[in-house]
mmCIF file of all heavy atoms in Angstrom:
data_model
loop_
_atom_site.group_PDB
_atom_site.id
_atom_site.type_symbol
_atom_site.label_atom_id
_atom_site.label_comp_id
_atom_site.label_asym_id
_atom_site.label_seq_id
_atom_site.Cartn_x
_atom_site.Cartn_y
_atom_site.Cartn_z
ATOM 1 N N MET U 4 39.591 88.417 119.903
ATOM 2 C CA MET U 4 38.632 89.524 119.927
ATOM 3 C C MET U 4 39.319 90.771 120.445
ATOM 4 O O MET U 4 40.001 90.732 121.459
ATOM 5 C CB MET U 4 37.443 89.164 120.822
ATOM 6 C CG MET U 4 36.374 90.267 120.839
ATOM 7 S SD MET U 4 35.074 89.922 122.036
ATOM 8 C CE MET U 4 35.928 90.317 123.556
ATOM 9 N N THR U 5 39.180 91.861 119.745
ATOM 10 C CA THR U 5 39.703 93.130 120.225
ATOM 11 C C THR U 5 38.622 94.184 120.068
ATOM 12 O O THR U 5 37.762 94.096 119.197
ATOM 13 C CB THR U 5 40.955 93.581 119.454
ATOM 14 O OG1 THR U 5 40.636 93.740 118.091
ATOM 15 C CG2 THR U 5 42.078 92.580 119.589
ATOM 16 N N LEU U 6 38.681 95.165 120.932
ATOM 17 C CA LEU U 6 37.798 96.310 120.765
ATOM 18 C C LEU U 6 38.429 97.517 121.440
ATOM 19 O O LEU U 6 39.368 97.378 122.213
ATOM 20 C CB LEU U 6 36.404 96.018 121.324
ATOM 21 C CG LEU U 6 36.282 95.599 122.792
ATOM 22 C CD1 LEU U 6 36.218 96.822 123.696
ATOM 23 C CD2 LEU U 6 35.029 94.772 122.978
ATOM 24 N N THR U 7 37.908 98.668 121.082
ATOM 25 C CA THR U 7 38.484 99.896 121.603
ATOM 26 C C THR U 7 37.655 100.399 122.769
ATOM 27 O O THR U 7 36.436 100.480 122.687
ATOM 28 C CB THR U 7 38.537 100.965 120.501
ATOM 29 O OG1 THR U 7 39.293 100.462 119.416
ATOM 30 C CG2 THR U 7 39.197 102.232 121.011
ATOM 31 N N ARG U 8 38.356 100.689 123.851
ATOM 32 C CA ARG U 8 37.713 101.227 125.044
ATOM 33 C C ARG U 8 38.573 102.361 125.585
ATOM 34 O O ARG U 8 39.755 102.425 125.317
ATOM 35 C CB ARG U 8 37.614 100.141 126.125
ATOM 36 C CG ARG U 8 36.573 99.086 125.833
ATOM 37 C CD ARG U 8 35.376 99.327 126.664
ATOM 38 N NE ARG U 8 34.272 98.448 126.288
ATOM 39 C CZ ARG U 8 33.128 98.408 126.978
ATOM 40 N NH1 ARG U 8 32.985 99.114 128.068
ATOM 41 N NH2 ARG U 8 32.148 97.659 126.573
ATOM 42 N N HIS U 9 37.933 103.184 126.408
ATOM 43 C CA HIS U 9 38.704 104.201 127.095
ATOM 44 C C HIS U 9 39.417 103.545 128.258
ATOM 45 O O HIS U 9 38.791 102.942 129.119
ATOM 46 C CB HIS U 9 37.790 105.318 127.598
ATOM 47 C CG HIS U 9 38.550 106.417 128.295
ATOM 48 N ND1 HIS U 9 38.997 107.542 127.633
ATOM 49 C CD2 HIS U 9 38.965 106.539 129.571
ATOM 50 C CE1 HIS U 9 39.645 108.314 128.485
ATOM 51 N NE2 HIS U 9 39.648 107.738 129.676
ATOM 52 N N CYS U 10 40.738 103.648 128.271
ATOM 53 C CA CYS U 10 41.513 103.114 129.382
ATOM 54 C C CYS U 10 41.740 104.208 130.407
ATOM 55 O O CYS U 10 42.295 105.263 130.087
ATOM 56 C CB CYS U 10 42.857 102.579 128.876
ATOM 57 S SG CYS U 10 43.887 101.941 130.215
ATOM 58 N N SER U 11 41.287 103.961 131.641
ATOM 59 C CA SER U 11 41.405 104.978 132.687
ATOM 60 C C SER U 11 42.850 105.174 133.122
ATOM 61 O O SER U 11 43.207 106.197 133.678
ATOM 62 C CB SER U 11 40.523 104.609 133.883
ATOM 63 O OG SER U 11 40.899 103.355 134.395
ATOM 64 N N VAL U 12 43.675 104.156 132.864
ATOM 65 C CA VAL U 12 45.093 104.263 133.224
ATOM 66 C C VAL U 12 45.847 105.077 132.180
ATOM 67 O O VAL U 12 46.603 105.990 132.501
ATOM 68 C CB VAL U 12 45.710 102.863 133.394
ATOM 69 C CG1 VAL U 12 47.206 102.962 133.678
ATOM 70 C CG2 VAL U 12 44.999 102.116 134.523
ATOM 71 N N CYS U 13 45.611 104.759 130.912
ATOM 72 C CA CYS U 13 46.245 105.499 129.820
ATOM 73 C C CYS U 13 45.583 106.869 129.627
ATOM 74 O O CYS U 13 46.150 107.768 129.029
ATOM 75 C CB CYS U 13 46.146 104.714 128.518
ATOM 76 S SG CYS U 13 47.019 103.138 128.535
ATOM 77 N N ASP U 14 44.349 107.003 130.109
ATOM 78 C CA ASP U 14 43.553 108.207 129.918
ATOM 79 C C ASP U 14 43.377 108.503 128.426
ATOM 80 O O ASP U 14 43.511 109.639 127.986
ATOM 81 C CB ASP U 14 44.169 109.392 130.660
ATOM 82 C CG ASP U 14 43.186 110.560 130.772
ATOM 83 O OD1 ASP U 14 41.968 110.316 130.739
ATOM 84 O OD2 ASP U 14 43.641 111.712 130.882
ATOM 85 N N ASP U 15 43.117 107.463 127.650
ATOM 86 C CA ASP U 15 42.936 107.623 126.219
ATOM 87 C C ASP U 15 42.225 106.376 125.672
ATOM 88 O O ASP U 15 42.070 105.391 126.390
ATOM 89 C CB ASP U 15 44.304 107.789 125.553
ATOM 90 C CG ASP U 15 44.207 108.523 124.210
ATOM 91 O OD1 ASP U 15 43.077 108.738 123.728
ATOM 92 O OD2 ASP U 15 45.262 108.878 123.669
ATOM 93 N N GLU U 16 41.820 106.460 124.418
ATOM 94 C CA GLU U 16 41.241 105.297 123.766
ATOM 95 C C GLU U 16 42.338 104.287 123.473
ATOM 96 O O GLU U 16 43.393 104.637 122.934
ATOM 97 C CB GLU U 16 40.562 105.714 122.453
ATOM 98 C CG GLU U 16 39.343 106.597 122.668
ATOM 99 C CD GLU U 16 38.201 105.843 123.312
ATOM 100 O OE1 GLU U 16 37.935 104.703 122.898
ATOM 101 O OE2 GLU U 16 37.590 106.387 124.247
ATOM 102 N N ARG U 17 42.093 103.051 123.831
ATOM 103 C CA ARG U 17 43.094 102.008 123.644
ATOM 104 C C ARG U 17 42.422 100.748 123.095
ATOM 105 O O ARG U 17 41.246 100.503 123.359
ATOM 106 C CB ARG U 17 43.773 101.667 124.975
ATOM 107 C CG ARG U 17 44.694 102.758 125.495
ATOM 108 C CD ARG U 17 45.947 102.856 124.652
ATOM 109 N NE ARG U 17 46.894 103.827 125.184
ATOM 110 C CZ ARG U 17 47.064 105.051 124.669
ATOM 111 N NH1 ARG U 17 46.341 105.452 123.655
ATOM 112 N NH2 ARG U 17 47.966 105.868 125.189
ATOM 113 N N VAL U 18 43.185 99.969 122.395
ATOM 114 C CA VAL U 18 42.704 98.672 121.951
ATOM 115 C C VAL U 18 42.805 97.698 123.109
ATOM 116 O O VAL U 18 43.861 97.539 123.714
ATOM 117 C CB VAL U 18 43.527 98.157 120.751
ATOM 118 C CG1 VAL U 18 43.121 96.717 120.407
ATOM 119 C CG2 VAL U 18 43.331 99.063 119.544
ATOM 120 N N PHE U 19 41.673 97.086 123.451
ATOM 121 C CA PHE U 19 41.653 96.042 124.467
ATOM 122 C C PHE U 19 41.545 94.697 123.780
ATOM 123 O O PHE U 19 40.819 94.540 122.809
ATOM 124 C CB PHE U 19 40.475 96.246 125.420
ATOM 125 C CG PHE U 19 40.750 97.276 126.491
ATOM 126 C CD1 PHE U 19 40.714 98.626 126.191
ATOM 127 C CD2 PHE U 19 41.046 96.879 127.784
ATOM 128 C CE1 PHE U 19 40.977 99.580 127.174
ATOM 129 C CE2 PHE U 19 41.299 97.821 128.768
ATOM 130 C CZ PHE U 19 41.269 99.174 128.469
ATOM 131 N N GLU U 20 42.283 93.756 124.279
ATOM 132 C CA GLU U 20 42.224 92.425 123.713
ATOM 133 C C GLU U 20 42.002 91.394 124.803
ATOM 134 O O GLU U 20 42.240 91.656 125.982
ATOM 135 C CB GLU U 20 43.502 92.124 122.927
ATOM 136 C CG GLU U 20 44.759 92.429 123.684
ATOM 137 C CD GLU U 20 45.977 92.435 122.746
ATOM 138 O OE1 GLU U 20 45.835 92.758 121.552
ATOM 139 O OE2 GLU U 20 47.060 92.093 123.220
ATOM 140 N N GLN U 21 41.512 90.252 124.387
ATOM 141 C CA GLN U 21 41.190 89.200 125.337
ATOM 142 C C GLN U 21 42.468 88.499 125.778
ATOM 143 O O GLN U 21 43.193 87.964 124.947
ATOM 144 C CB GLN U 21 40.258 88.205 124.647
ATOM 145 C CG GLN U 21 39.346 87.475 125.593
ATOM 146 C CD GLN U 21 38.337 86.631 124.811
ATOM 147 O OE1 GLN U 21 38.699 85.720 124.109
ATOM 148 N NE2 GLN U 21 37.071 86.967 124.942
ATOM 149 N N PRO U 22 42.765 88.527 127.060
ATOM 150 C CA PRO U 22 43.938 87.816 127.543
ATOM 151 C C PRO U 22 43.664 86.326 127.569
ATOM 152 O O PRO U 22 42.512 85.903 127.510
ATOM 153 C CB PRO U 22 44.128 88.378 128.958
ATOM 154 C CG PRO U 22 42.754 88.721 129.398
ATOM 155 C CD PRO U 22 42.024 89.167 128.152
ATOM 156 N N PRO U 23 44.722 85.526 127.675
ATOM 157 C CA PRO U 23 44.514 84.085 127.831
ATOM 158 C C PRO U 23 43.633 83.813 129.050
ATOM 159 O O PRO U 23 43.876 84.348 130.128
ATOM 160 C CB PRO U 23 45.927 83.534 128.037
ATOM 161 C CG PRO U 23 46.836 84.557 127.433
ATOM 162 C CD PRO U 23 46.139 85.881 127.651
ATOM 163 N N CYS U 24 42.608 83.006 128.849
ATOM 164 C CA CYS U 24 41.655 82.758 129.928
ATOM 165 C C CYS U 24 41.971 81.438 130.616
ATOM 166 O O CYS U 24 42.051 80.402 129.973
ATOM 167 C CB CYS U 24 40.240 82.740 129.375
ATOM 168 S SG CYS U 24 39.012 82.427 130.659
ATOM 169 N N ASP U 25 42.142 81.501 131.933
ATOM 170 C CA ASP U 25 42.419 80.291 132.710
ATOM 171 C C ASP U 25 41.177 79.795 133.439
ATOM 172 O O ASP U 25 41.247 78.894 134.251
ATOM 173 C CB ASP U 25 43.509 80.576 133.746
ATOM 174 C CG ASP U 25 44.847 80.867 133.081
ATOM 175 O OD1 ASP U 25 45.108 80.303 132.002
ATOM 176 O OD2 ASP U 25 45.622 81.647 133.646
ATOM 177 N N GLU U 26 40.049 80.449 133.195
ATOM 178 C CA GLU U 26 38.863 80.166 134.000
ATOM 179 C C GLU U 26 37.778 79.445 133.211
ATOM 180 O O GLU U 26 36.649 79.317 133.654
ATOM 181 C CB GLU U 26 38.329 81.471 134.591
ATOM 182 C CG GLU U 26 39.352 82.110 135.535
ATOM 183 C CD GLU U 26 38.940 83.535 135.910
ATOM 184 O OE1 GLU U 26 37.750 83.853 135.821
ATOM 185 O OE2 GLU U 26 39.825 84.314 136.276
ATOM 186 N N GLY U 27 38.110 79.008 131.992
ATOM 187 C CA GLY U 27 37.167 78.198 131.236
ATOM 188 C C GLY U 27 36.037 78.969 130.580
ATOM 189 O O GLY U 27 35.022 78.385 130.223
ATOM 190 N N HIS U 28 36.210 80.276 130.434
ATOM 191 C CA HIS U 28 35.160 81.054 129.786
ATOM 192 C C HIS U 28 35.126 80.826 128.274
ATOM 193 O O HIS U 28 34.107 81.030 127.637
ATOM 194 C CB HIS U 28 35.369 82.547 130.050
ATOM 195 C CG HIS U 28 35.280 82.923 131.491
ATOM 196 N ND1 HIS U 28 36.170 83.783 132.097
ATOM 197 C CD2 HIS U 28 34.416 82.546 132.454
ATOM 198 C CE1 HIS U 28 35.841 83.909 133.379
ATOM 199 N NE2 HIS U 28 34.787 83.174 133.634
ATOM 200 N N GLY U 29 36.279 80.464 127.710
ATOM 201 C CA GLY U 29 36.339 80.281 126.264
ATOM 202 C C GLY U 29 36.079 81.593 125.538
ATOM 203 O O GLY U 29 36.508 82.653 125.974
ATOM 204 N N VAL U 30 35.339 81.481 124.430
ATOM 205 C CA VAL U 30 35.088 82.675 123.614
ATOM 206 C C VAL U 30 34.176 83.671 124.323
ATOM 207 O O VAL U 30 34.069 84.826 123.929
ATOM 208 C CB VAL U 30 34.473 82.312 122.246
ATOM 209 C CG1 VAL U 30 35.471 81.505 121.419
ATOM 210 C CG2 VAL U 30 33.171 81.554 122.410
ATOM 211 N N ASP U 31 33.520 83.223 125.377
ATOM 212 C CA ASP U 31 32.629 84.107 126.123
ATOM 213 C C ASP U 31 33.334 84.812 127.264
ATOM 214 O O ASP U 31 32.702 85.476 128.070
ATOM 215 C CB ASP U 31 31.449 83.317 126.686
ATOM 216 C CG ASP U 31 30.530 82.818 125.583
ATOM 217 O OD1 ASP U 31 30.407 83.527 124.569
ATOM 218 O OD2 ASP U 31 29.951 81.746 125.741
ATOM 219 N N CYS U 32 34.651 84.678 127.350
ATOM 220 C CA CYS U 32 35.398 85.296 128.442
ATOM 221 C C CYS U 32 35.155 86.799 128.467
ATOM 222 O O CYS U 32 35.314 87.474 127.454
ATOM 223 C CB CYS U 32 36.890 85.010 128.285
ATOM 224 S SG CYS U 32 37.859 85.686 129.646
ATOM 225 N N PRO U 33 34.731 87.338 129.621
ATOM 226 C CA PRO U 33 34.416 88.761 129.709
ATOM 227 C C PRO U 33 35.633 89.629 129.989
ATOM 228 O O PRO U 33 35.515 90.843 130.068
ATOM 229 C CB PRO U 33 33.440 88.817 130.893
ATOM 230 C CG PRO U 33 33.906 87.717 131.789
ATOM 231 C CD PRO U 33 34.410 86.622 130.863
ATOM 232 N N ASP U 34 36.781 89.010 130.137
ATOM 233 C CA ASP U 34 37.965 89.772 130.502
ATOM 234 C C ASP U 34 38.584 90.452 129.280
ATOM 235 O O ASP U 34 38.653 89.877 128.206
ATOM 236 C CB ASP U 34 39.022 88.851 131.126
ATOM 237 C CG ASP U 34 38.522 88.201 132.399
ATOM 238 O OD1 ASP U 34 37.638 88.787 133.046
ATOM 239 O OD2 ASP U 34 39.018 87.124 132.734
ATOM 240 N N LEU U 35 39.042 91.668 129.492
ATOM 241 C CA LEU U 35 39.774 92.392 128.460
ATOM 242 C C LEU U 35 40.998 93.022 129.094
ATOM 243 O O LEU U 35 40.976 93.409 130.259
ATOM 244 C CB LEU U 35 38.902 93.489 127.832
ATOM 245 C CG LEU U 35 37.773 93.007 126.920
ATOM 246 C CD1 LEU U 35 36.940 94.213 126.489
ATOM 247 C CD2 LEU U 35 38.330 92.303 125.693
ATOM 248 N N MET U 36 42.040 93.160 128.303
ATOM 249 C CA MET U 36 43.282 93.725 128.811
ATOM 250 C C MET U 36 43.750 94.822 127.863
ATOM 251 O O MET U 36 43.803 94.628 126.645
ATOM 252 C CB MET U 36 44.336 92.617 128.906
ATOM 253 C CG MET U 36 45.623 93.051 129.540
ATOM 254 S SD MET U 36 46.778 91.661 129.656
ATOM 255 C CE MET U 36 47.190 91.459 127.926
ATOM 256 N N CYS U 37 44.104 95.976 128.416
ATOM 257 C CA CYS U 37 44.643 97.067 127.617
ATOM 258 C C CYS U 37 45.939 96.616 126.963
ATOM 259 O O CYS U 37 46.844 96.130 127.633
ATOM 260 C CB CYS U 37 44.879 98.284 128.508
ATOM 261 S SG CYS U 37 45.640 99.669 127.636
ATOM 262 N N SER U 38 46.009 96.775 125.651
ATOM 263 C CA SER U 38 47.184 96.297 124.918
ATOM 264 C C SER U 38 48.393 97.178 125.158
ATOM 265 O O SER U 38 49.509 96.821 124.798
ATOM 266 C CB SER U 38 46.871 96.226 123.423
ATOM 267 O OG SER U 38 46.572 97.519 122.928
ATOM 268 N N VAL U 39 48.194 98.349 125.763
ATOM 269 C CA VAL U 39 49.304 99.267 125.999
ATOM 270 C C VAL U 39 49.842 99.129 127.418
ATOM 271 O O VAL U 39 51.032 98.917 127.628
ATOM 272 C CB VAL U 39 48.882 100.713 125.724
ATOM 273 C CG1 VAL U 39 50.008 101.688 126.049
ATOM 274 C CG2 VAL U 39 48.467 100.854 124.264
ATOM 275 N N CYS U 40 48.971 99.228 128.421
ATOM 276 C CA CYS U 40 49.450 99.242 129.806
ATOM 277 C C CYS U 40 49.142 97.929 130.531
ATOM 278 O O CYS U 40 49.646 97.702 131.616
ATOM 279 C CB CYS U 40 48.858 100.419 130.572
ATOM 280 S SG CYS U 40 47.117 100.229 130.975
ATOM 281 N N GLY U 41 48.316 97.078 129.939
ATOM 282 C CA GLY U 41 48.045 95.778 130.540
ATOM 283 C C GLY U 41 46.960 95.786 131.592
ATOM 284 O O GLY U 41 46.703 94.763 132.226
ATOM 285 N N THR U 42 46.285 96.931 131.793
ATOM 286 C CA THR U 42 45.193 96.986 132.748
ATOM 287 C C THR U 42 44.049 96.073 132.309
ATOM 288 O O THR U 42 43.629 96.119 131.159
ATOM 289 C CB THR U 42 44.677 98.432 132.882
ATOM 290 O OG1 THR U 42 45.677 99.208 133.517
ATOM 291 C CG2 THR U 42 43.394 98.485 133.711
ATOM 292 N N ALA U 43 43.587 95.240 133.231
ATOM 293 C CA ALA U 43 42.509 94.315 132.912
ATOM 294 C C ALA U 43 41.175 94.904 133.341
ATOM 295 O O ALA U 43 41.052 95.486 134.416
ATOM 296 C CB ALA U 43 42.747 92.984 133.614
ATOM 297 N N ILE U 44 40.179 94.749 132.478
ATOM 298 C CA ILE U 44 38.820 95.127 132.835
ATOM 299 C C ILE U 44 37.910 93.952 132.519
ATOM 300 O O ILE U 44 38.267 93.063 131.762
ATOM 301 C CB ILE U 44 38.334 96.381 132.074
ATOM 302 C CG1 ILE U 44 38.243 96.108 130.566
ATOM 303 C CG2 ILE U 44 39.238 97.565 132.365
ATOM 304 C CD1 ILE U 44 37.568 97.246 129.801
ATOM 305 N N VAL U 45 36.730 93.966 133.129
ATOM 306 C CA VAL U 45 35.708 92.978 132.825
ATOM 307 C C VAL U 45 34.572 93.706 132.135
ATOM 308 O O VAL U 45 34.081 94.716 132.636
ATOM 309 C CB VAL U 45 35.222 92.282 134.109
ATOM 310 C CG1 VAL U 45 34.099 91.297 133.790
ATOM 311 C CG2 VAL U 45 36.385 91.567 134.778
ATOM 312 N N ILE U 46 34.172 93.207 130.972
ATOM 313 C CA ILE U 46 33.172 93.898 130.164
ATOM 314 C C ILE U 46 31.920 94.201 130.982
ATOM 315 O O ILE U 46 31.407 95.303 130.966
ATOM 316 C CB ILE U 46 32.794 93.050 128.930
ATOM 317 C CG1 ILE U 46 34.008 92.884 128.021
ATOM 318 C CG2 ILE U 46 31.638 93.697 128.175
ATOM 319 C CD1 ILE U 46 33.751 91.965 126.841
ATOM 320 N N GLY U 47 31.452 93.228 131.744
ATOM 321 C CA GLY U 47 30.211 93.396 132.493
ATOM 322 C C GLY U 47 30.309 94.441 133.591
ATOM 323 O O GLY U 47 29.304 94.991 134.017
ATOM 324 N N ASP U 48 31.550 94.706 134.036
ATOM 325 C CA ASP U 48 31.746 95.669 135.107
ATOM 326 C C ASP U 48 32.052 97.066 134.596
ATOM 327 O O ASP U 48 32.048 98.023 135.357
ATOM 328 C CB ASP U 48 32.917 95.230 136.003
ATOM 329 C CG ASP U 48 32.541 94.015 136.840
ATOM 330 O OD1 ASP U 48 31.345 93.694 136.888
ATOM 331 O OD2 ASP U 48 33.449 93.418 137.434
ATOM 332 N N ALA U 49 32.357 97.171 133.314
ATOM 333 C CA ALA U 49 32.774 98.459 132.779
ATOM 334 C C ALA U 49 31.556 99.302 132.409
ATOM 335 O O ALA U 49 30.746 98.879 131.600
ATOM 336 C CB ALA U 49 33.660 98.252 131.557
ATOM 337 N N PRO U 50 31.429 100.476 133.003
ATOM 338 C CA PRO U 50 30.309 101.346 132.642
ATOM 339 C C PRO U 50 30.478 101.863 131.228
ATOM 340 O O PRO U 50 31.591 102.005 130.736
ATOM 341 C CB PRO U 50 30.400 102.480 133.660
ATOM 342 C CG PRO U 50 31.834 102.514 134.082
ATOM 343 C CD PRO U 50 32.311 101.084 134.000
ATOM 344 N N GLU U 51 29.357 102.137 130.578
ATOM 345 C CA GLU U 51 29.425 102.674 129.216
ATOM 346 C C GLU U 51 30.194 103.990 129.201
ATOM 347 O O GLU U 51 31.031 104.226 128.351
ATOM 348 C CB GLU U 51 28.014 102.885 128.661
ATOM 349 C CG GLU U 51 27.375 101.611 128.147
ATOM 350 C CD GLU U 51 28.176 100.986 127.017
ATOM 351 O OE1 GLU U 51 28.582 101.704 126.089
ATOM 352 O OE2 GLU U 51 28.415 99.770 127.073
ATOM 353 N N MET U 52 29.863 104.839 130.158
ATOM 354 C CA MET U 52 30.612 106.079 130.290
ATOM 355 C C MET U 52 31.647 105.865 131.379
ATOM 356 O O MET U 52 31.294 105.629 132.533
ATOM 357 C CB MET U 52 29.677 107.236 130.684
ATOM 358 C CG MET U 52 28.686 107.587 129.582
ATOM 359 S SD MET U 52 29.494 108.148 128.058
ATOM 360 C CE MET U 52 30.188 109.709 128.603
ATOM 361 N N PRO U 53 32.909 105.923 131.025
ATOM 362 C CA PRO U 53 33.937 105.635 132.014
ATOM 363 C C PRO U 53 33.890 106.610 133.186
ATOM 364 O O PRO U 53 33.665 107.808 133.017
ATOM 365 C CB PRO U 53 35.250 105.771 131.238
ATOM 366 C CG PRO U 53 34.913 106.393 129.953
ATOM 367 C CD PRO U 53 33.447 106.236 129.710
ATOM 368 N N VAL U 54 34.069 106.060 134.358
ATOM 369 C CA VAL U 54 34.097 106.891 135.561
ATOM 370 C C VAL U 54 35.487 107.499 135.699
ATOM 371 O O VAL U 54 36.485 106.794 135.658
ATOM 372 C CB VAL U 54 33.774 106.040 136.803
ATOM 373 C CG1 VAL U 54 33.901 106.888 138.072
ATOM 374 C CG2 VAL U 54 32.381 105.447 136.695
ATOM 375 N N ILE U 55 35.495 108.783 135.824
ATOM 376 C CA ILE U 55 36.784 109.461 135.983
ATOM 377 C C ILE U 55 37.180 109.422 137.453
ATOM 378 O O ILE U 55 36.467 109.926 138.321
ATOM 379 C CB ILE U 55 36.708 110.930 135.510
ATOM 380 C CG1 ILE U 55 36.198 110.987 134.074
ATOM 381 C CG2 ILE U 55 38.073 111.605 135.651
ATOM 382 C CD1 ILE U 55 37.054 110.224 133.073
ATOM 383 N N ILE U 56 38.298 108.787 137.719
ATOM 384 C CA ILE U 56 38.789 108.706 139.089
ATOM 385 C C ILE U 56 39.718 109.887 139.351
ATOM 386 O O ILE U 56 40.736 110.050 138.687
ATOM 387 C CB ILE U 56 39.526 107.376 139.317
ATOM 388 C CG1 ILE U 56 38.569 106.206 139.048
ATOM 389 C CG2 ILE U 56 40.083 107.313 140.749
ATOM 390 C CD1 ILE U 56 39.242 104.857 139.087
ATOM 391 N N ARG U 57 39.321 110.692 140.298
ATOM 392 C CA ARG U 57 40.111 111.889 140.591
ATOM 393 C C ARG U 57 41.414 111.516 141.280
ATOM 394 O O ARG U 57 41.437 110.665 142.160
ATOM 395 C CB ARG U 57 39.317 112.841 141.501
ATOM 396 C CG ARG U 57 38.117 113.435 140.809
ATOM 397 C CD ARG U 57 37.282 114.225 141.795
ATOM 398 N NE ARG U 57 36.041 114.727 141.183
ATOM 399 C CZ ARG U 57 35.959 115.904 140.561
ATOM 400 N NH1 ARG U 57 37.000 116.684 140.492
ATOM 401 N NH2 ARG U 57 34.808 116.288 140.035
ATOM 402 N N SER U 58 42.444 112.168 140.881
ATOM 403 C CA SER U 58 43.744 111.914 141.488
ATOM 404 C C SER U 58 43.808 112.566 142.861
ATOM 405 O O SER U 58 43.411 113.703 143.057
ATOM 406 C CB SER U 58 44.857 112.459 140.599
ATOM 407 O OG SER U 58 46.090 112.381 141.271
ATOM 408 N N GLN U 59 44.333 111.820 143.816
ATOM 409 C CA GLN U 59 44.513 112.364 145.167
ATOM 410 C C GLN U 59 45.550 113.476 145.164
ATOM 411 O O GLN U 59 45.580 114.318 146.026
ATOM 412 C CB GLN U 59 44.977 111.253 146.120
ATOM 413 C CG GLN U 59 43.973 110.124 146.289
ATOM 414 C CD GLN U 59 42.841 110.479 147.238
ATOM 415 O OE1 GLN U 59 42.880 111.515 147.886
ATOM 416 N NE2 GLN U 59 41.827 109.643 147.308
ATOM 417 N N ALA U 60 46.433 113.445 144.185
ATOM 418 C CA ALA U 60 47.556 114.379 144.147
ATOM 419 C C ALA U 60 47.210 115.684 143.438
ATOM 420 O O ALA U 60 48.081 116.474 143.136
ATOM 421 C CB ALA U 60 48.738 113.710 143.456
ATOM 422 N N ALA U 61 45.923 115.908 143.186
ATOM 423 C CA ALA U 61 45.526 117.143 142.513
ATOM 424 C C ALA U 61 45.615 118.289 143.512
ATOM 425 O O ALA U 61 46.253 119.262 143.300
ATOM 426 C CB ALA U 61 44.109 117.034 142.004
HETATM 427 ZN ZN1 ZN R 127 37.874 84.257 131.353
HETATM 428 ZN ZN1 ZN R 128 45.882 101.350 129.240
#
């Protein structure tokens, strides 16, 4: 399963794919991993509108 989400690390739209699941979720696994930077997100925890995290170094 793949889908496109905004990656807060890449700061762009990225294809997220399901990583290998070690927790027995099977096809219902809520975990997704950015195919570019490897950042993992959980579908249930991801807000529809991504929260912009302000950089401390601004
Ligand atoms: Zn899982
Ligand atoms: Zn990313």
Side-chain angles (χ1 to χ4, degrees):
M4 182 187 75
T5 60
L6 57 85
T7 302
R8 287 257 172 174
H9 181 93
C10 178
S11 59
V12 176
C13 297
D14 194 26
D15 204 351
E16 293 292 316
R17 289 289 184 257
V18 173
F19 279 77
E20 50 194 30
Q21 207 173 63
C24 180
D25 293 328
E26 297 169 23
H28 297 136
V30 295
D31 292 327
C32 183
D34 298 334
L35 288 175
M36 186 178 71
C37 177
S38 62
V39 176
C40 73
T42 291
I44 65 171
V45 177
I46 296 175
D48 289 348
E51 280 300 313
M52 293 298 292
V54 176
I55 305 301
I56 301 173
R57 293 173 185 271
S58 172
Q59 297 281 352

